[in-house]
């Protein structure tokens, strides 16, 4: 029997680039999560009729605090809204790329991914809900706008009376006439990876002495990495560190960068460093790549993977195209040119790659925020990037450092860094961006230190597949000689605003290819403050995080 629960709208339930993210205490308010899930279903749920009983929904998350509670709520709301089946990962676990694969493999109409990605977890920390569509990718803006519009008028949510599902026991049960299938969260994904990569070649390299360290950061990739790296590829037990998902990620911030994965960096730059180091984030869609004594930026990783992807079976026929987000460095563009394939520059947010992938226009995509992936799913995929790196190293018989040096000697080097100013008062961040936007028309031709501004604009994207336009996607200041600065407010935080400043300097292949990144970007760092008034507006003398 369906129960209608009266409710009223909550302000601010507007999904960002990665769904709705708020503090747990916000989501824990009576009706808050229920309203949002119902709003999603009011927009996307199957219409009553012959197709509804067969319509499947995937539900899973990164294991953070409040996941299990919301999963039980969502299952009952799904039953009341006409779904025929829900597939949920055992223990409530499904990495974001695994959820994308499960949606695609089982022909689900979509899925709810419960995660706040790389943000911390726990009773006083962050939670999130994201809806992915039938292609396995994040809902496009038309869908998220409709969901937000519905949250502003919602007056009830639907549910059924039923006991909680045993999420820890695989198998089928029934909730309000709907089948709930608790599935192995790892097996389908691990099997997919084995079709893409030369596991035999990697196993041979492991047997020959290839060593690695993988930091799962007590987040969702622990079970996936343990199964694939240790059981299927033969790396010794203990290769996967912090491999058990914890609701609070062990009290740490599951963001794979030099700040939050500092123990891995200390290992990889230490005297007894293994050959290869990697990490992934809260929900498994980001990656960190570091060789013995050599950190690879996400922008460079995208370019290096694209240049060498043909050595993996899944990409042996070549790439159809390479796509990157606008703030990501142009390193991948140079690879695309050399391969003779298209290069696409999109707004930030993986959903913008979905159209290109579905249309067969791109094969590999990436973002500077440590997300890389391909057309095997419709999400960025941390372990996928790690496995492609392993495949390349195994087949080519090279170290990470040697591969990087070879790449820069061929294509030149894009020195790159991102400076994040986190938890700024929203009015302060908005004022900075408004003032900078107003100044853009007058910037071309001006000099800042030794740099001359060639172009300044607000990035707008015309989708080559559906013809849609996405405006105001970040402010760009381009300099003569190929350097640039990008300013953008992030949509992935839960409190205040994050100003992200992206700095890029191109050095040709005959130039200075192995210099300190900070030193090479010093002029651009000074120029960013001079152009945008960062210190004047924020009072911050240094960024919160540098990646």
């Amino acid at each position: 029997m369906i129960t209608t629960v009266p409710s009223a709208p909550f302000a601010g339930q507007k999904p960002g680039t990665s769904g709705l993210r708020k503090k747990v205490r916000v989501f824990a308010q009576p009706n808050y999560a229920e309203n949002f899930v119902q709003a999603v279903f009011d927009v996307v749920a199957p219409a009553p009729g012959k197709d509804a009983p067969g319509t499947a929904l995937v539900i899973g998350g990164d294991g953070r605090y409040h996941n299990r509670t919301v999963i039980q709520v969502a299952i009952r709301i799904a039953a009341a809204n006409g779904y025929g089946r829900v597939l949920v990962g055992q223990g409530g676990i499904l990495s974001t790329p695994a959820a994308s694969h499960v949606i695609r493999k089982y022909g689900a109409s979509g899925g709810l991914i419960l995660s706040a990605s790389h943000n911390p977890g726990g009773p006083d920390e962050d939670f999130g809900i994201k809806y992915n569509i039938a292609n396995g990718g994040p809902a496009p803006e038309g869908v998220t706008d409709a969901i937000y519009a519905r949250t502003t008028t919602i007056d009830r949510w639907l549910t059924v009376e039923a006991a909680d599902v045993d999420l820890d026991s695989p198998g089928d049960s029934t909730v309000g006439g709907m089948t709930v299938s608790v599935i192995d969260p790892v097996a389908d994904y691990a099997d997919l990876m084995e079709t893409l990569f030369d596991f035999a070649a990697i196993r041979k390299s492991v047997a020959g002495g290839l060593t690695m360290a993988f930091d799962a950061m007590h987040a969702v990739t622990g079970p996936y990495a343990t199964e694939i790296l240790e059981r299927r590829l033969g790396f010794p037990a203990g290769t996967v560190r912090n491999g058990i998902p914890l609701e609070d990620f062990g009290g740490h911030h599951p963001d794979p960068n030099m700040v939050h994965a500092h123990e891995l960096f200390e290992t990889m730059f230490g005297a007894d460093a293994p050959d290869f180091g990697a990490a992934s984030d809260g929900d498994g869609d980001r990656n960190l790549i570091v060789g013995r004594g050599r950190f690879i930026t996400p922008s460079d990783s995208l370019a290096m993977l694209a240049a060498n992807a043909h050595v993996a079976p899944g990409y042996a026929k070549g790439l159809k195209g390479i796509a990157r987000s606008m703030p990501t460095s142009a390193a991948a563009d140079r690879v695309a040119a050399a391969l003779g394939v298209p290069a696409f520059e999109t707004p930030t947010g993986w959903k913008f790659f979905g159209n290109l992938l579905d249309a067969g226009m791109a094969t590999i995509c990436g973002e500077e925020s440590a997300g890389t992936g391909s057309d095997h799913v419709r999400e960025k995929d941390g372990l996928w990037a790690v496995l492609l790196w392993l495949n390349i190293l195994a087949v080519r018989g090279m170290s990470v450092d040697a591969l990087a040096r070879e790449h820069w000697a061929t294509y030149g080097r894009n020195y790159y860094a991102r400076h994040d100013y986190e938890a700024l008062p929203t009015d302060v961040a908005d004022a900075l961006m408004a003032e900078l936007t107003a100044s853009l028309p007058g910037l071309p031709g001006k000099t800042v230190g030794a740099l001359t501004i060639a172009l300044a604009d607000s990035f707008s994207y015309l989708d080559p597949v559906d013809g849609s336009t996405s405006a105001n996607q970040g402010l760009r200041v381009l300099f003569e000689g190929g350097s640039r600065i990008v300013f953008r407010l992030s949509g992935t935080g839960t409190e205040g605003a994050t100003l992200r400043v992206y700095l890029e300097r191109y050095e040709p292949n005959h130039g200075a290819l192995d210099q300190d990144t900070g030193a090479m970007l010093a002029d651009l760092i000074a120029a960013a403050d001079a152009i945008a008034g960062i210190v004047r507006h924020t009072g911050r003398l240094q960024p919160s995080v540098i990646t």
Side-chain angles (χ1 to χ4, degrees):
M1 180 177 176
I2 297 174
T3 300
T4 300
V5 181
S7 187
F10 288 87
Q13 288 195 326
K14 184 175 178 62
T17 57
S18 299
L20 179 68
R21 294 183 185 173
K22 303 288 182 182
K23 291 295 183 183
V24 167
R25 62 178 177 270
V26 176
F27 269 103
Q29 297 174 90
N31 296 335
Y32 191 92
E34 292 87 345
N35 269 21
F36 187 74
V37 172
Q38 183 65 56
V40 171
F41 293 160
D42 283 346
V43 172
V44 305
K50 64 182 180 65
D51 294 330
T55 302
L57 177 77
V58 173
I59 302 178
D62 59 11
R64 71 179 54 234
Y65 184 85
H66 207 50
N67 250 32
R68 287 174 175 262
T69 300
V70 175
I71 286 173
Q72 300 290 355
V73 167
I75 287 172
R76 287 190 276 265
I77 297 177
N81 279 273
Y83 283 94
R85 184 187 185 196
V86 160
L87 297 96
V88 58
Q90 185 178 0
I93 292 289
L94 270 178
S95 75
T96 291
S100 180
H101 176 53
V102 170
I103 291 169
R104 295 165 64 81
K105 178 175 179 178
Y106 293 97
S109 65
L112 291 174
I113 299 175
L114 311 183
S115 171
S117 188
H118 54 289
N119 294 353
D124 299 317
E125 298 297 349
D126 299 344
F127 190 75
I129 303 177
K130 180 173 74 164
Y131 181 72
N132 280 29
I133 59 176
N135 75 346
E141 287 181 307
V143 174
T144 56
D145 287 348
I147 292 169
Y148 173 58
R150 180 62 184 133
T151 68
T152 65
T153 61
I154 194 164
D155 61 358
R156 91 299 178 250
W157 52 275
L158 308 179
T159 189
V160 297
E161 289 194 20
D164 282 354
V165 172
D166 180 359
L167 296 177
D168 296 308
S169 300
D172 290 353
S173 59
T174 302
V175 171
M178 179 187 74
T179 300
V180 178
S181 300
V182 178
I183 64 171
D184 182 329
V186 175
D188 288 328
Y189 175 85
D191 290 346
L192 174 65
M193 294 300 103
E194 204 151 358
T195 69
L196 297 175
F197 302 116
D198 189 345
F199 274 33
I202 301 172
R203 280 193 292 266
K204 183 178 179 181
S205 290
V206 174
L210 178 68
T211 56
M212 80 170 290
F214 181 87
D215 189 351
M217 306 190 84
H218 284 305
V220 77
T221 52
Y224 296 85
T226 300
E227 170 65 23
I228 296 172
L229 298 177
E230 295 184 2
R231 297 194 186 113
R232 300 198 184 193
L233 292 176
F235 283 102
T239 294
V240 177
R241 306 174 176 189
N242 304 316
I244 298 174
L246 300 175
E247 289 192 333
D248 66 349
F249 307 117
H252 299 296
H253 195 133
D255 192 356
N257 59 38
M258 289 181 279
V259 175
H260 300 299
H262 63 90
E263 290 183 359
L264 179 65
F265 272 89
E266 290 165 8
T267 296
M268 296 307 300
F269 284 82
D272 299 316
D275 298 306
F276 183 64
S280 189
D281 70 330
D283 66 329
D285 64 354
R286 300 187 183 208
N287 68 87
L288 166 70
I289 302 298
V290 55
R292 183 187 292 122
R294 173 67 70 184
F295 168 58
I296 304 296
T297 69
S299 293
D300 272 350
S301 181
L302 170 64
M304 293 172 190
L305 291 177
N308 293 277
H310 61 277
V311 307
Y315 308 95
K317 294 181 180 179
L319 308 180
K320 297 171 184 174
I322 304 169
R324 64 170 177 85
S325 64
M326 182 273 287
T328 303
S329 91
D333 299 10
R334 301 179 189 283
V335 174
L339 295 177
V341 301
F344 299 94
E345 182 180 36
T346 76
T348 296
W350 202 261
K351 59 190 174 185
F352 293 102
F353 294 139
N355 279 356
L356 297 171
L357 296 170
D358 285 345
M361 298 172 70
T363 305
I364 286 182
C365 307
E367 297 180 330
E368 53 71 35
S369 54
T372 349
S374 82
D375 55 2
H376 68 290
V377 292
R378 294 299 181 267
E379 286 279 6
K380 50 197 172 197
D381 189 346
L383 266 178
W384 171 90
V386 172
L387 291 168
L388 182 49
W389 265 99
L390 285 171
N391 197 151
I392 292 166
L393 297 179
V395 171
R396 299 208 56 202
M398 301 174 72
S399 68
V400 173
D401 181 65
L403 189 79
R405 290 176 182 275
E406 177 191 80
H407 185 92
W408 295 328
T410 303
Y411 299 99
R413 182 174 181 181
N414 294 71
Y415 285 94
Y416 187 89
R418 187 182 88 193
H419 289 194
D420 287 2
Y421 297 83
E422 297 177 336
L424 294 173
T426 303
D427 59 337
V428 169
D430 289 344
L432 183 153
M433 293 296 283
E435 181 181 289
L436 178 57
T437 301
S439 73
L440 292 177
L443 290 180
K446 288 188 174 181
T447 57
V448 185
L451 300 166
T452 300
I453 299 172
L455 175 71
D457 66 5
S458 177
F459 179 64
S460 180
Y461 176 65
L462 176 63
D463 192 301
V465 179
D466 65 17
S468 64
T469 298
S470 298
N472 304 315
Q473 296 295 317
L475 306 182
R476 304 188 298 181
V477 179
L478 283 64
F479 300 92
E480 293 178 0
S483 296
R484 67 174 188 157
I485 305 171
V486 173
F487 302 87
R488 182 175 165 270
L489 295 183
S490 169
T492 58
T494 60
E495 288 191 337
T498 296
L499 171 67
R500 290 188 168 153
V501 182
Y502 309 84
L503 307 144
E504 177 180 0
R505 170 179 169 172
Y506 177 67
E507 192 73 13
N509 61 358
H510 53 76
L513 300 178
D514 198 17
Q515 302 300 309
D516 176 73
T517 297
M520 295 295 281
L521 296 177
D523 287 353
L524 287 167
I525 294 169
D529 183 55
I531 292 167
I534 297 172
V535 175
R536 173 168 54 86
H537 279 283
T538 69
R540 306 273 184 93
L541 298 178
Q542 297 291 334
S544 311
V545 179
I546 298 176
T547 53

